[in-house]
């Protein structure tokens, strides 16, 4: 009886350790992926809604409500050969945009503008809606809190391209209009636009 009691007590003492070990051994579910079928080819974006829940969740809402269907990539910023960004989305279409979201800086999310990073386009912090851009090559100056940041707040990374960076690089060097675009954006507007035909969540394989 005493031996059985000691065994039970030992098991109870070990239970938290065993439970933690089991939790550590269970991998988190995969991040959601979005397949964009464009007129230039297929692009697959992994959305990090764990580290950037506000921004990632906003992007997924646009996808789930089919608000990107029929929009496009409309801007290419070429900083150097094979370096820059391409921008797409709703282009502030009032029939498509949802209310703006709170800004999630990279200093909070821990994400960065690496090659293929997908980030929100915005004016002031807290104005982002349905426009995004993809970094071609590393662009750490778009991060927040770096000595060389474009501004103190940076831009909100929420994902990365995991398939189709060749398509993105093709968009970067696509023809642009010499006259379209206001101010510093003149000469950066794609002509013709690259159409986003559909944007859908990638089906998760059954386990």
């Amino acid at each position: 009886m005493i031996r059985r009691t000691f065994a039970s007590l030992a098991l109870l003492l070990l239970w938290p350790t065993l439970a933690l070990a089991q939790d550590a051994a269970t991998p988190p579910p995969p991040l959601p992926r979005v397949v964009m079928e464009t007129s230039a080819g297929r692009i697959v974006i992994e959305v990090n809604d764990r580290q950037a829940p506000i921004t990632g969740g906003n992007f997924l809402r646009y996808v789930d409500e089919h608000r990107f269907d029929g929009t496009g990539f409309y801007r290419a910023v070429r900083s150097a050969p094979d370096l820059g960004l391409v921008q797409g989305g709703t282009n502030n279409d009032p029939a498509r945009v949802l209310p703006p979201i709170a800004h999630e800086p990279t200093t909070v999310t821990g994400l960065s503008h690496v090659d293929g990073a997908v980030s929100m386009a915005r004016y002031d912090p807290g104005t982002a809606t349905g426009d995004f851009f993809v970094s071609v090559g590393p662009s750490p100056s778009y991060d927040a809190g770096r000595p060389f940041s474009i501004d103190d707040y940076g831009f909100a990374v929420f994902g990365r391209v995991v398939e189709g960076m060749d398509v993105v690089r093709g968009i970067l060097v696509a023809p642009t209009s010499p006259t379209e675009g206001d101010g510093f954006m003149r000469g950066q507007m794609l002509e013709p636009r690259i159409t986003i035909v559909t944007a859908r969540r990638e089906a998760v394989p059954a386990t």
Side-chain angles (χ1 to χ4, degrees):
M1 180 68 178
I2 293 174
R3 186 177 300 170
R4 188 180 304 165
T5 301
F6 277 124
S8 299
L9 285 171
L11 185 59
L12 285 171
L13 290 170
L14 282 172
W15 179 253
T17 304
L18 293 171
L20 286 172
Q22 185 176 9
D23 289 343
T26 303
L31 294 171
R33 291 186 173 189
V34 170
V35 178
M36 282 190 170
E37 299 291 352
T38 81
S39 56
R42 172 186 167 105
I43 300 170
V44 181
I45 297 169
E46 185 177 73
V47 179
N48 195 331
D49 58 350
R50 279 201 287 269
Q51 288 178 256
I54 296 172
T55 319
N58 175 71
F59 183 80
L60 291 172
R61 183 178 174 190
Y62 276 85
V63 170
D64 293 340
E65 296 181 9
H66 301 176
R67 291 176 181 268
F68 289 136
D69 294 8
T71 63
F73 288 92
Y74 54 84
R75 184 182 177 211
V77 182
R78 302 161 193 158
S79 306
D82 206 31
L83 183 67
L85 64 85
V86 299
Q87 185 170 322
T90 58
N91 201 9
N92 297 314
D93 179 351
R96 292 179 182 270
V97 296
L98 295 166
I101 57 172
H103 183 55
E104 279 186 315
T106 53
T107 47
V108 171
T109 63
L111 302 174
S112 182
H113 288 84
V114 297
D115 182 38
V118 187
S119 190
M120 292 305 297
R122 63 166 176 82
Y123 294 107
D124 294 326
T127 62
T129 55
D131 291 271
F132 60 91
F133 65 88
V134 182
S135 293
V136 181
S139 305
S141 61
Y142 289 100
D143 291 350
R146 294 180 182 265
F148 47 80
S149 295
I150 288 176
D151 67 41
D152 291 340
Y153 300 100
F155 292 83
V157 179
F158 64 89
R160 64 188 181 96
V161 172
V162 294
E163 181 185 327
M165 274 304 291
D166 56 329
V167 176
V168 175
R169 289 187 170 89
I171 296 172
L172 182 67
V173 298
T176 56
S177 167
T179 58
E180 191 180 356
D182 296 328
F184 67 88
M185 291 193 290
R186 178 162 299 207
Q188 298 177 352
M189 311 311 285
L190 293 168
E191 188 180 44
R193 304 284 198 262
I194 305 298
T195 303
I196 299 173
V197 181
T198 58
R200 298 287 184 274
R201 290 198 196 216
E202 185 177 68
V204 179
T207 54

